[in-house]
């Protein structure tokens, strides 16, 4: 078992105690839909580079980056250090990672008739994909890096099916709880293990101070899934038995309902917190609830569908900033310009905050004088 040394590498991100804001980036899950947030995050990082130079990376600006499922994998990719102690992936690289590898992660079965019954039978027999390519790829890319080594704080949820409880892999907890200092590759594979799609993940860690070994049996943390134009109605679902809820018309309503409900609850709670802090302007959630059935799929990885998701992300940048109406469940424009314009403003705020921290920190670079930033928090929540 590899030795655990709980000492984080030096990060270019100065502590929030030297600044005015606490900055959080949260990324929802969704399999191949990781292409959409990667497109949006690439735009944000490009705006930061316009302000602070080509070497600017998202991990330099956010106090914590969090994600589940494919969002957890993106989180790990953005915060894993390379040999120069800089992020292993630039945001612009992640889209190409998905485009190049999703067809192998989710190979399309062209020999099977795509009927609801055949899909139902396959889902009852076992996971739709064996995960071997994904596991090998993630371990190759993330190597031996462990949780405590990320370049900024991360929070990645999973769920332990043996203990029936959530397991949150958080750099905030790792020093007092060394047993969660797992390999980032294992954590990424675990949070991506969506039930019926990919097999559950089993791995062990060892606390070197006590020699105690901890075993994990994990699946996807399940905190995010975008809405689609097509809904499930009570008249239709009222006739479903167990098999109907497990799989109907090629989809998986049970998983869709649980994932969407958790996503909406998070949006509701975070919105409420920011209202209570009188800082709603510092909360930006970018979400698309108009996806077609194929666009909302987590695993239809044909070239046509992958290219379509790139276009979804690009179009989403041009759409107006919207907030969910909790009575209708629909995202409605809120007169704050487009998502692209909001991200440009966000980049300016993040850049100024970083300069303030560098100026005040005894270890930071001393920039030229800049203006004061008002406000307390900024949370960019991208699916």
């Amino acid at each position: 078992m590899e030795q655990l040394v709980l000492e984080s590498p030096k990060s270019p991100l100065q502590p929030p105690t030297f600044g005015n804001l606490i900055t959080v980036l949260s990324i929802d899950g969704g399999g191949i839909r990781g292409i959409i947030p990667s497109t949006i995050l690439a735009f944000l990082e490009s705006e930061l580079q316009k302000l602070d130079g080509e070497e600017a990376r998202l991990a330099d600006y956010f106090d914590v980056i969090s994600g589940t499922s494919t969002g957890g994998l993106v989180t790990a990719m953005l915060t894993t250090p390379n040999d120069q102690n800089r992020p292993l992936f630039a945001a612009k690289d992640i889209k190409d990672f998905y485009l190049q590898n999703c067809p192998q992660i989710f190979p399309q079965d062209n020999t099977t008739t795509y009927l609801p019954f055949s899909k139902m039978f396959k889902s009852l027999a076992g996971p739709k994909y064996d995960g071997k390519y994904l596991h090998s790829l993630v371990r190759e890319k993330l190597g031996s890096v462990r949780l405590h080594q990320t370049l900024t704080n991360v929070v990645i949820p999973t769920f332990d099916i043996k203990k029936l409880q959530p397991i949150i892999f958080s750099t905030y907890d790792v020093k007092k709880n060394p047993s969660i200092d797992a390999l980032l590759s294992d954590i990424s594979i675990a949070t991506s293990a969506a039930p019926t799609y990919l097999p559950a993940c089993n791995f062990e860690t060892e606390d070197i101070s006590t020699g105690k070994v901890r075993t994990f049996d994990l699946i996807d943390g399940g905190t995010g899934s975008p809405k689609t134009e097509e809904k499930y109605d009570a008249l239709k679902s009222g006739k479903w038995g167990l098999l109907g809820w497990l799989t109907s018309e090629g989809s998986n309503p049970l998983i869709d309902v649980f994932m969407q409900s958790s996503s909406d609850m998070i949006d509701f709670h975070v919105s409420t917190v920011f209202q209570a802090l009188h800082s709603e302007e510092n909360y930006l959630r970018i979400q698309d609830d108009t996806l077609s059935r194929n666009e909302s799929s987590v695993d239809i990885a044909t070239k046509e569908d992958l290219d379509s998701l790139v276009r979804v992300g690009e179009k989403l940048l041009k759409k107006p900033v919207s907030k969910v109406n909790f009575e209708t469940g629909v995202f409605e424009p809120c007169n704050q310009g487009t998502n692209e314009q909001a991200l440009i403003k966000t980049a300016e705020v993040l850049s100024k905050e970083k300069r303030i921290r560098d100026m005040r920190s005894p270890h930071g670079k001393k920039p030229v004088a800049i203006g004061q930033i008002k406000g307390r928090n900024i949370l960019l929540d991208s699916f």
Side-chain angles (χ1 to χ4, degrees):
M1 186 68 65
E2 184 175 337
Q3 184 176 3
L4 308 185
V5 181
L6 300 184
E7 294 180 0
S8 300
K10 184 178 179 182
S11 170
L13 180 65
Q14 301 298 326
T17 51
F18 296 121
N20 297 332
L21 309 175
I22 296 173
T23 56
V24 179
L25 170 62
S26 174
I27 310 166
D28 285 356
I32 61 171
R33 291 194 305 261
I35 292 172
I36 301 175
S38 68
T39 301
I40 293 168
L41 294 176
F43 177 82
L44 174 61
E45 192 169 86
S46 70
E47 290 301 311
L48 290 167
Q49 290 167 348
K50 290 177 184 179
L51 297 168
D52 298 333
E54 293 184 1
E55 295 304 312
R57 297 290 184 268
L58 294 176
D60 301 335
Y61 297 86
F62 287 99
D63 295 308
V64 57
I65 301 179
S66 179
T68 189
S69 190
T70 200
L73 176 57
V74 173
T75 296
M77 294 168 73
L78 291 173
T79 59
T80 294
N82 61 17
D83 293 339
Q84 289 75 45
N85 200 38
R86 295 294 293 145
L88 184 64
F89 285 84
K92 65 181 178 62
D93 299 329
I94 296 178
K95 179 179 70 176
D96 291 337
F97 173 89
Y98 277 88
L99 292 175
Q100 293 169 10
N101 294 294
C102 279
Q104 288 75 46
I105 297 172
F106 303 112
Q108 303 302 291
D109 186 356
N110 297 319
T111 62
T112 302
T113 303
Y114 280 90
L115 296 174
F117 181 79
S118 64
K119 288 193 172 185
M120 176 185 68
F121 182 80
K122 191 170 184 178
S123 67
L124 291 176
K128 193 172 182 179
Y129 307 99
D130 61 25
K132 291 181 180 179
Y133 182 87
L134 173 63
H135 300 175
S136 175
L137 178 67
V138 171
R139 291 190 173 114
E140 174 194 344
K141 297 297 183 182
L142 303 185
S144 61
V145 176
R146 291 186 177 271
L147 179 63
H148 77 274
Q149 295 174 295
T150 56
L151 291 172
T152 189
N153 292 299
V154 301
V155 177
I156 302 177
T158 65
F159 188 85
D160 195 310
I161 55 176
K162 195 168 187 177
K163 297 180 179 178
L164 292 179
Q165 68 180 35
I167 303 293
I168 310 298
F169 290 92
S170 166
T171 50
Y172 293 104
D173 294 332
V174 72
K175 286 188 177 181
K176 64 181 181 182
N177 185 8
S179 69
I180 67 168
D181 194 34
L183 292 169
L184 276 181
S185 58
D186 283 339
I187 297 171
S188 298
I189 291 169
T191 194
S192 301
T196 76
Y197 291 101
L198 291 164
C201 179
N202 171 271
F203 61 86
E204 294 179 344
T205 62
E206 181 181 1
D207 184 343
I208 60 170
S209 63
T210 63
K212 185 177 180 180
V213 174
R214 181 174 180 180
T215 302
F216 297 90
D217 297 273
L218 305 174
I219 60 172
D220 183 353
T223 58
S225 175
K227 298 177 180 178
T228 69
E229 292 177 335
E230 303 179 30
K231 315 295 184 191
Y232 306 108
D233 60 77
L235 291 177
K236 186 175 182 179
S237 62
K239 301 176 183 178
W240 292 345
L242 176 61
L243 295 182
W245 275 106
L246 286 175
T247 178
S248 175
E249 298 182 358
S251 62
N252 198 320
L254 197 60
I255 290 178
D256 289 347
V257 168
F258 283 131
M259 291 181 71
Q260 185 56 56
S261 63
S262 61
S263 177
D264 282 347
M265 287 301 294
I266 290 171
D267 198 21
F268 175 79
H269 287 306
V270 173
S271 297
T272 301
V273 168
F274 275 77
Q275 289 176 27
L277 294 173
H278 303 290
S279 56
E280 292 178 79
E281 72 281 359
N282 292 331
Y283 172 52
L284 173 62
R285 179 167 177 80
I286 299 180
Q287 176 91 346
D288 196 333
D289 62 349
T290 64
L291 301 182
S292 67
R293 179 175 291 277
N294 275 17
E295 291 169 344
S296 66
S297 168
V298 302
D299 68 328
I300 302 180
T302 66
K303 184 179 186 305
E304 178 183 0
D305 287 293
L306 295 176
D307 290 341
S308 175
L309 290 174
V310 174
R311 292 192 293 272
V312 168
E314 293 170 345
K315 291 178 181 178
L316 189 54
L317 288 169
K318 306 296 183 182
K319 289 186 176 183
V321 175
S322 301
K323 294 183 179 180
V324 67
N325 181 322
F326 291 106
E327 292 186 4
T328 65
V330 176
F331 276 77
E332 300 173 348
C334 53
N335 300 316
Q336 295 181 12
T338 65
N339 289 317
E340 187 175 72
Q341 292 169 332
L343 287 170
I344 292 172
K345 292 179 181 178
T346 298
E348 293 171 352
V349 172
L350 291 171
S351 176
K352 290 180 179 178
E353 170 67 10
K354 185 175 186 301
R355 294 181 186 183
I356 284 178
R357 295 185 186 190
D358 288 342
M359 181 175 61
R360 294 175 178 173
S361 168
H363 305 293
K365 298 177 181 178
K366 304 302 180 184
V368 296
I370 57 177
Q372 183 72 13
I373 305 174
K374 297 180 180 180
R376 280 173 280 186
N377 308 284
I378 180 165
L379 172 64
L380 172 62
D381 193 354
S382 169
F383 72 107

